[in-house]
Amino acid sequence: MIKVMGRVENKVALVTGGASGIGRECCKLLAREGARVVVADINEAGGLDTVEAIGGESRFFSLDVRSETRWQEVTSQAIDRFGSLDTLVNCAGIGFAGNFEDTSLENWNAIMDVNLTGVFLGCKHMILAQRQVPANASIINISSIAGLLGGEDIAAYSATKGGVTLLSKSIALSCAGRGLGIRCNSIHPTYVDTEMLDPVAAMFSSRDEMRAGMANEVPLGRLALPIDIAYAVLFLASDESAMVTGSSMVVDGGQTAGLPARHTME
Amino acid sequence: MARVEGKIAIVTGGASGLGLAIAERLLLEGAVVILTDIDALAGQRAASELGCTFFHQDVADENSWHELMADTLELHGRLDILVNNAGIFQGQGGNDPESTLLEDFNRIYSINVAGTFLGCKHAIAAMRKCQSRGSIINLSSIAALVSTPFLTAYGASKAAVRQLTMSIAAHCAESGYGIRCNSVHPGQIRTPMLDNLFQDAATSMDVGVDVVEVEFLKKIPLAEFGEPDDVAYLVLYLASDESKHVTGTQMLVDGGMLAHS
């Protein structure tokens, strides 16, 4: 069998949140395109399932993105194992909805810790790791369209994702300004049909009903699928995007293109 | 399997620079490409070198779009990708707000804005006719998103292209056509257009072109000019089905220039 050269051939990619949803799909697509994948997640069973689905040289590393010690260990172990670390996909995230003033401090801190501090730590230790093995590296942070616009009942989530948007741009400039050879970009999905929506689905009579309601808000008429996001990640992970840094890539079925357009009667 | 295998693509302004690189990249990934340009000689030469069809076109002329779409549907039976790349950036007079001539302003608008509008309009009709879930890609610029007093009309025209893109995307999505529309915003890419800009800046400041180049380079965080292929790869992503949930967006290829705010 002739092996076709993949778009991220031989790159080593670390994906957080690799046990499910968008993260798992990113692991699968990056591996299909030739990368060796470090599947990182707090969920060991799911992470091992991802590794099994990929096969090849992928490895699971248990990672709580809130733990700086674990980031140090995982980045250095990944480099020991694979010889380099070229791509970091910060995908691990949590969400909740509700009235803003009912947000408990505990929940506020919990979402900040995972969605924003976790991304900060990942970027920091990815950059520090490059001092050991300089590479042509790409950091991809999964933000959200809620990182570009406000949301009525997702203030805390939106605040974390807005933080990720600007953190990504500053990291891009910081790395470019010093010639470190590390790019950093953010991706902004609309609703993606993954496990993250399970608690939302529980509030509807069925998942289909939730999907229909959400799809109504998306001009293309459906929720995003994990693979839609994974292809954007693949582009940013590959050298095809060598001149792309500090940018926000939107994958939202047209949701942020503008106001609802129907001003005429049918 | 190539990434745009068998898709039928039109690339305007394909004789040189970004258009040429985009046409070549789409061809390499399996598309059938119709290259158009106002420069018949250069366009024909480029098309024969690439091995694709050439169509002589002034994008500001609506009749040319009627003919191009009719030809394309007759010859290939469908249209899947339109890349509105043709554009100009300078007038005969000055380019700052005080010295820009109205006729230059109008000419830049007729090609960059009306040309893109006409392309979108006729591509939608053609794509609907053959029930293609097509992709329209409009070349805007970072000039659409920041002030460009040294290229007044150009910056305004590219901002119009950005806004037009959003309306086209929303219209097509909400009409259920399955046609997507996105804008691409290059920064400083090594093309004949950029070389002209350097030359003019050098003349007006009475310095060498190399001095101008160094000054331009200082504004790019990644510290190098982009290559046409950097833009072509982004267009390829938007042209392919990999981006099937992406519409109405703006995508940058600018080496980090706009991450400053």
Side-chain angles (χ1 to χ4, degrees), chain B residues 142-256:
Chain B
I142 57 167
L145 308 168
V146 293
S147 66
T148 54
F150 53 96
L151 287 174
T152 308
Y154 177 80
S157 75
K158 290 302 186 178
V161 168
R162 168 66 201 135
Q163 210 283 345
L164 179 68
T165 300
M166 293 191 280
S167 291
I168 303 274
H171 171 75
C172 290
E174 284 160 16
S175 304
Y177 298 158
I179 298 168
R180 301 181 292 111
C181 185
N182 294 282
S183 57
V184 169
H185 300 254
Q188 312 285 345
I189 312 290
R190 286 248 74 138
T191 61
M193 198 186 259
L194 190 66
D195 291 339
N196 284 342
L197 192 62
F198 289 166
Q199 194 62 60
D200 289 0
T203 308
S204 76
M205 292 189 293
D206 199 21
V207 294
V209 172
D210 50 336
V211 176
V212 173
E213 277 195 34
V214 170
E215 288 306 308
F216 270 72
L217 207 49
K218 281 184 190 161
K219 298 196 165 71
I220 308 173
L222 282 184
E224 57 187 9
F225 295 107
E227 295 295 326
D229 228 17
D230 292 320
V231 178
Y233 272 119
L234 186 50
V235 170
L236 172 64
Y237 166 74
L238 290 171
S240 78
D241 293 338
E242 296 166 12
S243 59
K244 62 182 182 294
H245 209 50
V246 179
T247 194
T249 72
Q250 61 184 40
M251 293 191 50
L252 302 175
V253 201
D254 70 344

Side-chain angles (χ1 to χ4, degrees), chain A residues 166-217:
Chain A
L166 286 186
L167 181 67
S168 302
K169 292 186 197 297
S170 295
I171 288 170
L173 292 174
S174 165
C175 292
R178 289 175 291 153
L180 298 186
I182 304 170
R183 298 183 292 111
C184 182
N185 295 281
S186 54
I187 293 181
H188 304 263
T190 178
Y191 309 112
V192 187
D193 199 355
T194 67
E195 294 85 340
M196 196 188 263
L197 293 182
D198 288 354
V200 185
M203 296 189 289
F204 288 81
S205 61
S206 72
R207 196 173 185 98
D208 281 346
E209 193 190 315
M210 173 198 74
R211 278 197 201 107
M214 287 177 167
N216 236 350
E217 295 174 40

Side-chain angles (χ1 to χ4, degrees), chain A residues 87-168:
Chain A
T87 309
L88 169 65
V89 185
N90 280 311
C91 189
I94 59 174
F96 63 82
N99 281 334
F100 169 66
E101 67 274 21
D102 297 334
T103 307
S104 69
L105 179 59
E106 194 183 358
N107 281 344
W108 171 268
N109 286 335
I111 199 167
M112 282 289 163
D113 284 350
V114 176
N115 291 10
L116 191 50
T117 308
V119 173
F120 154 68
L121 290 173
C123 294
K124 173 179 170 179
H125 289 282
M126 175 71 176
I127 295 167
L128 289 173
Q130 302 308 313
R131 299 208 177 143
Q132 300 173 45
V133 273
N136 165 25
S138 176
I139 299 173
I140 300 145
N141 294 328
I142 307 298
S143 176
S144 164
I145 56 170
L148 301 170
L149 302 167
E152 186 179 330
D153 58 354
I154 50 167
Y157 181 77
S158 187
T160 64
K161 293 301 187 179
V164 169
T165 305
L166 286 186
L167 181 67
S168 302

Side-chain angles (χ1 to χ4, degrees), chain A residues 61-77:
Chain A
F61 283 83
S62 174
L63 173 67
D64 178 344
V65 295
R66 300 169 296 185
S67 160
E68 183 153 26
T69 316
R70 280 304 291 154
W71 269 110
Q72 287 164 333
E73 291 165 358
V74 167
T75 49
S76 92
Q77 285 164 9

Side-chain angles (χ1 to χ4, degrees), chain A residues 7 222 243 245 253-254 261-262, chain B residues 3 174 224 230 242 245 255-256:
Chain A
R7 289 168 62 191
R222 68 166 170 91
M243 271 305 273
T245 195
R262 287 285 168 240
Chain B
R3 292 169 63 189
E174 284 160 16
E224 57 187 9
D230 292 320
E242 296 166 12
H245 209 50

